[in-house]
Each structure stands twice: as C-alpha cells, then as structure tokens.
Amino acid sequence: MKEDVIVQIRDIKKYYGKEPLIVKALDGITLDIQKGTFTAIVGASGSGKSTLLHLIGGLDQPTSGTIRVAGRDLSMLNRDQAAIYRRRNVGVVYQNYNLISMLNVYENIVFPVEIDGNTVDQEFIEEITKLLGLHDKLERNVNQLSGGQKQRVAIARALAIKPVLLLCDEPTGNLDSRTSQDVIGLLKASSMKLDQTIIMITHNEEIAQMADRTIRIEDGKIVTRKWGEPCL
Ligand SMILES: Nc1ncnc2c1ncn2[C@@H]1O[C@H](COP(=O)(O)OP(=O)(O)OP(=O)(O)O)[C@@H](O)[C@H]1O
Ligand SMILES: [Mg+2]
C-alpha cells in the first residue's frame, strides 16, 4: 500500500436479503483515498452513500471485498477491536445525528473522549464549541435543540477525539447556507491542522465544489470522478 493512502477499498459489495429480493447497496467499489484530503461523495437517495461510509467507519461489514484503513484490514478486527478502532480513529457525523438524549450538549460532545478513558482537552472543546456557536448551550438537553443545533453538536462530538478520519453523512443538511460554509471551513481548518482525512456525503453542489475530489455513486457503483482521474 502506498504511504499516503489512508483508505484502501477493494471491490467491496454489500448485499441485503436474498434473490430474488436482493438489494445490492454496494456492488463492487474500488477506491483509494489519500491522507489529509477532503473527498465529497454524491449521488441520488438510495445509491449506497451511507452504506459506504458506515463500512469505512467499521460500523458494518461488507458482504465481500476488503477495506484497509491506515494499513489495517477492518475485516480482521473482532467486535471489541472494531469498537476501539472507531473510538480512537474515526469521527462520524451521522445522517440522523445519533445523539444521546439523556445527556446535555457538553456531555454528548465529550462522551467519546471519556469513554476511552482520556482526559478532555477543555481548551480544544471550548474552541470548537465557540466556532460552532454552541458555547452558550452546553448545559442544554439535546432534545431541546433545533435540527441545525443538533447537527452542530454531532460535528463537535466527531471532532472532539481529534480523529484521523472524519466521516460526515450530510453534515450540513439542516444548516442554512452561511452556517454550512462556516462549518465546512471549520472542518477544513481542523483537517489541515491535525492532518485529518475528510470523507463527506453531501447533496449540496457548493459544498462538493469545496472538496479536493468528488466521487459519484449510482446504484452501488462509482460512476464518475472529478477531473476524470482514476480512483487508484
Ligand atoms: N439494513 C438494510 N436492510 C436492507 N436494505 C438496506 C439496509 N440499509 C440500506 N439498505 C438499502 O441499501 C440501499 C442504499 O442505502 P443507503 O442508505 O446507503 O443510501 P444513501 O445513498 O445513503 O441514500 P440517502 O441519500 O437517502 O441517505 C437502499 O436501497 C436501501 O434501501
Ligand atoms: Mg444516506
């Protein structure tokens, strides 16, 4: 594997159900992603975007094919190892936020840091919550937040562990255009500072334009790439 490739995907398939009702959510994806880059994934609803992101995040296993992240084959990890891999390396902003409703904003943000037994970098948390406009809402229960506010908490939580890999599923779907641009700016700044790799699903053309590279998925397959370059 080349030194600067952080995610190496080889012919992955993810099928649900059985013939004749089989759903081929992913049907042969091969892709390399370079360390420190920002990749946008675009495609119609149901094309397989979230499925792909979840597989890269080690949240699910492919039906066949391999995924290596930083040289490690994710299929070789058992359940516990996969959980540790995710906690230490991957920040995920889920399409439906996945916040813990019993906890307040601050507790949600630092949860992945504390569960791994690490000390919270208060200065860093203060910096990201300020930039995300959450600093005056830290004590609020997440149930009392708007969709856009929840989305920003999910982003702060993903950043809190300073992940190697930042996987974002429509992180600006509920944000206005100005806030979206600010959030993307923050993610880009963070990725530059911490040498993070960002993979982001978006339906927003303007945001896709801000990425180093755009990958389009249709019916579980990659169809085009920016600048017509090969994926490898
Ligand atoms: N757990 C599951 N069981 C069966 N089918 C599934 C499951 N999860 C996803 N699918 C199917 O796999 C396909 C891809 O789903 P996926 O969620 O990856 O789409 P998506 O591109 O993220 O769409 P959207 O833009 O609407 O979020 C869809 O046809 C979906 O119905
Ligand atoms: Mg999706």
Side-chain angles (χ1 to χ4, degrees):
M1 190 150 112
K2 278 180 277 169
E3 272 265 85
D4 53 350
V5 172
I6 183 144
V7 180
Q8 185 194 62
I9 298 173
R10 290 294 175 273
D11 198 23
I12 52 161
K13 296 180 179 166
K14 180 68 178 178
Y15 294 174
Y16 291 107
K18 290 198 166 78
E19 294 284 8
L21 297 174
I22 196 159
V23 175
K24 298 183 174 180
L26 293 176
D27 200 17
I29 300 263
T30 290
L31 176 67
D32 275 358
I33 290 177
Q34 313 293 319
K35 192 170 186 350
T37 57
F38 174 9
T39 302
I41 297 180
V42 301
S45 179
S47 55
K49 304 180 298 297
S50 295
T51 306
L52 177 61
L53 206 73
H54 292 169
L55 293 177
I56 298 171
L59 296 154
D60 205 352
Q61 289 281 348
T63 307
S64 65
T66 56
I67 302 177
R68 287 176 182 273
V69 177
R72 189 172 10 191
D73 185 344
L74 298 189
S75 67
M76 303 305 274
L77 305 180
N78 65 29
R79 238 182 132 83
D80 290 348
Q81 289 168 329
I84 292 170
Y85 155 74
R86 288 197 303 268
R87 285 208 308 262
R88 302 206 174 139
N89 300 288
V90 189
V92 187
V93 182
Y94 294 91
Q95 195 164 14
N96 56 1
Y97 321 126
N98 274 6
L99 300 177
I100 303 168
S101 58
M102 275 150 32
L103 304 180
N104 69 26
V105 168
Y106 176 80
E107 291 162 343
N108 263 279
I109 294 171
V110 300
F111 184 78
V113 180
E114 291 190 329
I115 199 172
D116 216 21
N118 292 321
T119 314
V120 175
D121 180 345
Q122 297 295 353
E123 216 173 295
F124 180 66
I125 298 295
E126 200 177 310
E127 187 186 327
I128 54 178
T129 51
K130 261 196 190 135
L131 283 164
L132 287 164
L134 294 168
H135 53 291
D136 58 346
K137 296 178 185 67
L138 297 179
E139 304 284 317
R140 279 231 224 143
N141 186 285
V142 289
N143 288 332
Q144 300 162 2
L145 301 178
S146 71
Q149 289 166 340
K150 283 183 190 164
Q151 195 145 42
R152 283 180 276 144
V153 176
I155 292 164
R157 179 181 59 181
L159 288 171
I161 61 158
K162 301 180 183 169
V164 175
L165 204 56
L166 197 53
L167 307 177
C168 310
D169 202 341
E170 304 247 18
T172 60
N174 269 308
L175 304 179
D176 57 81
S177 146
R178 170 76 205 278
T179 312
S180 296
Q181 301 281 336
D182 288 352
V183 164
I184 303 299
L186 166 65
L187 295 180
K188 282 188 91 165
S190 163
S191 77
M192 293 249 245
K193 200 162 137 191
L194 302 173
D195 200 18
Q196 291 165 322
T197 305
I198 305 178
I199 306 175
M200 182 183 299
I201 295 172
T202 183
H203 279 120
N204 184 323
E205 193 57 41
E206 268 176 47
I207 287 170
Q209 299 271 346
M210 291 167 81
D212 298 315
R213 175 190 192 190
T214 303
I215 288 165
R216 183 171 300 278
I217 299 191
E218 264 176 36
D219 297 329
K221 295 189 170 89
I222 294 178
V223 287
T224 55
R225 293 133 211 161
K226 204 173 185 179
W227 310 307
E229 64 181 9
C231 274
L232 300 178

